[in-house]
Amino acid sequence: MEKKPHFFRRELLPREVPSISLALLLAAILLLNALLYLYLNKFSSSLGRVETDSGLCPFGHFKFGAVKNCSPWLSCEAINREVRKLKCVGEGAVKKVFLSEWKEKKVVLSQLTNSELKEDFLHGLKMLKALQSKHVVRLLGYCEQQFTILTEYHPLGSLRGLNETLHIPKYKAMNTWHGRLMLAIDYVSVIRYLHSSPLGTLVMCDSNDLDKVLSQYLLTSDFHVLVNDLDALPLVNRSAGRLVKCGHRELRGEFVAPEQRWPYGEDVPFEDDLMPPYDEKTDIWKIPDVSNYFLGHVEGSDIVRLHLFDIHAACKKKDPAERPSAQEVLDTYRKVLTLLIREAAMPSTREML
């Protein structure tokens, strides 16, 4: 009678252990899926916010930093009285940019430098006012009479310095395939916004080479991408038969789309009047090159490139009509991110066993 309980334990133990392991595995998978669902749901919600999200003020107003209340855009008088220039931090063909101070806060003051380009400057101001959203640098004030624009300051600067920033110890945690893909998603989100903006379909014309593209965007301190320079943003209106041309000079190189290059060969001198116009699909052609810059050469970036191969090949179709829309590219990027997060999570599940 003494041995029966002993025999009973030896008989059941091998059957119970697999059952317990299976239960633990199922519990781990369920927990992992729940956490993944919550993360992806939060991510999708943040991506799916209306473009003019609740954090923005009514038209003609702004707020930034820890300030809760919205203030009216600063007028000429307020800018002259309250804004103090600190130093020049950049100069382009249209304007000079100064790091400045307003009420002990760093801001950016942009001023026209070439009177012949005042129409470009005013167009940029018009776009900046009309397109205020989570994708566009925040406008704080302006003075048309003095050709002056005041915007929010972002200390990490333009995207040209991305790789240097990611090698700073403070930001190394962001230097992963995931962090870099998130920036690429932000960039494509901006393009999608411009192509479906409140004003209509806008084309990012200041984009004749990679360096020029990167200079048009800012990197925020919480690692998001904002478009900063809107001076060259013409409107496509197919129903009215209106297409665009990015400038009046000949464009060369593989970075610009085929339809942006002179189509009549070297034997025919370039004439702006003979150059055919084009549409927003020029922006789509450039997405793979810009994304390649974002992805860099960190561990896992080649896997991301592999998953994006088909959509990037579609972006490089010679016929603009065969290229995907910015929305289709964005949807694919989001799906790839979701897939790769799930794949990355699976080894963790196995380790839990």
Side-chain angles (χ1 to χ4, degrees):
M1 297 296 289
E2 295 284 338
K3 293 180 180 180
K4 198 168 185 180
H6 181 64
F7 174 76
F8 179 76
R9 285 195 299 271
R10 289 181 62 192
E11 184 71 22
L12 285 187
L13 190 58
R15 296 175 182 273
E16 290 175 350
V17 170
S19 300
I20 294 170
S21 298
L22 184 60
L24 288 172
L25 174 62
L26 290 172
I29 291 173
L30 288 172
L31 177 62
L32 183 64
N33 282 337
L35 292 172
L36 188 60
Y37 171 80
L38 291 172
Y39 171 81
L40 293 174
N41 188 54
K42 182 180 178 182
F43 171 71
S44 298
S45 298
S46 66
L47 289 172
R49 297 195 305 264
V50 290
E51 305 302 345
T52 52
D53 62 35
S54 58
L56 294 171
C57 294
F59 182 81
H61 294 74
F62 73 92
K63 66 177 178 179
F64 72 106
V67 178
K68 293 184 178 180
N69 297 325
C70 294
S71 302
W73 286 335
L74 299 187
S75 63
C76 296
E77 182 185 357
I79 291 173
N80 292 333
R81 185 181 65 249
E82 301 172 12
V83 176
R84 181 169 65 96
K85 290 180 186 176
L86 298 178
K87 63 177 179 179
C88 179
V89 292
E91 183 173 2
V94 178
K95 54 187 177 286
K96 186 178 285 189
V97 180
F98 297 90
L99 175 63
S100 305
E101 193 173 58
W102 175 71
K103 293 188 176 180
E104 300 183 345
K105 297 181 178 70
K106 296 287 193 303
V107 292
V108 173
L109 188 72
S110 302
Q111 291 184 315
L112 178 69
T113 55
N114 186 345
S115 59
E116 294 180 1
L117 297 174
K118 63 182 180 181
E119 293 303 320
D120 292 49
F121 184 91
L122 293 175
H123 176 75
L125 173 58
K126 176 185 175 182
M127 295 294 104
L128 198 53
K129 290 193 290 185
L131 298 175
Q132 285 294 289
S133 72
K134 64 178 182 175
H135 301 296
V136 179
V137 69
R138 189 168 287 134
L139 178 64
L140 308 180
Y142 64 92
C143 180
E144 280 195 43
Q145 298 93 312
Q146 298 173 8
F147 297 98
T148 299
I149 299 173
L150 193 71
T151 53
E152 189 174 8
Y153 171 63
H154 293 280
L156 296 183
S158 79
L159 290 175
R160 284 189 294 190
L162 174 63
N163 289 320
E164 290 77 7
T165 298
L166 288 172
H167 284 96
I168 297 172
K170 179 180 178 181
Y171 301 114
K172 276 191 174 180
M174 299 299 297
N175 195 20
T176 63
W177 70 262
H178 177 269
R180 285 174 169 270
L181 179 55
M182 291 291 284
L183 290 175
I185 288 173
D186 260 9
Y187 165 71
V188 177
S189 296
V190 174
I191 299 299
R192 188 278 311 268
Y193 175 63
L194 294 178
H195 288 186
S196 57
S197 82
L199 300 176
T201 301
L202 299 167
V203 181
M204 194 66 177
C205 264
D206 250 344
S207 57
N208 298 336
D209 57 63
L210 179 61
D211 192 64
K212 187 63 175 174
V213 170
L214 299 175
S215 71
Q216 309 301 303
Y217 296 85
L218 294 171
L219 179 63
T220 68
S221 297
D222 59 350
F223 274 74
H224 286 285
V225 173
L226 298 176
V227 63
N228 180 52
D229 196 329
L230 303 174
D231 294 346
L233 211 61
L235 178 70
V236 169
N237 187 338
R238 284 191 186 82
S239 60
R242 184 194 301 166
L243 299 177
V244 304
K245 286 191 285 187
C246 291
H248 304 288
R249 294 178 296 177
E250 182 177 1
L251 301 179
R252 297 175 178 268
E254 292 299 313
F255 188 82
V256 296
E259 64 271 23
Q260 292 184 280
R261 301 172 212 152
W262 180 243
Y264 303 118
E266 296 289 338
D267 296 334
V268 181
F270 177 82
E271 286 188 43
D272 184 43
D273 291 340
L274 298 179
M275 180 67 199
Y278 34 83
D279 62 17
E280 77 281 2
K281 291 298 184 72
T282 58
D283 290 333
I284 304 300
W285 171 273
K286 297 159 189 172
I287 286 176
D289 299 291
V290 181
S291 289
N292 189 53
Y293 170 82
F294 278 120
L295 292 174
H297 300 284
V298 296
E299 183 181 354
S301 62
D302 286 342
I303 299 297
V304 179
R305 286 185 180 90
L306 184 63
H307 283 277
L308 295 176
F309 180 85
D310 288 342
I311 192 68
H312 283 174
C315 291
K316 291 293 188 179
K317 294 280 190 181
K318 188 171 182 180
D319 182 355
E322 294 181 6
R323 294 174 206 153
S325 67
Q327 183 65 62
E328 289 170 322
V329 177
L330 182 59
D331 289 343
T332 302
Y333 273 42
R334 289 173 176 172
K335 288 175 183 175
V336 167
L337 176 64
T338 302
L339 174 66
L340 291 175
I341 289 173
R342 282 180 176 152
E343 288 181 354
M346 290 313 294
S348 302
T349 307
R350 288 193 290 269
E351 288 172 10
M352 293 173 71
L353 301 178

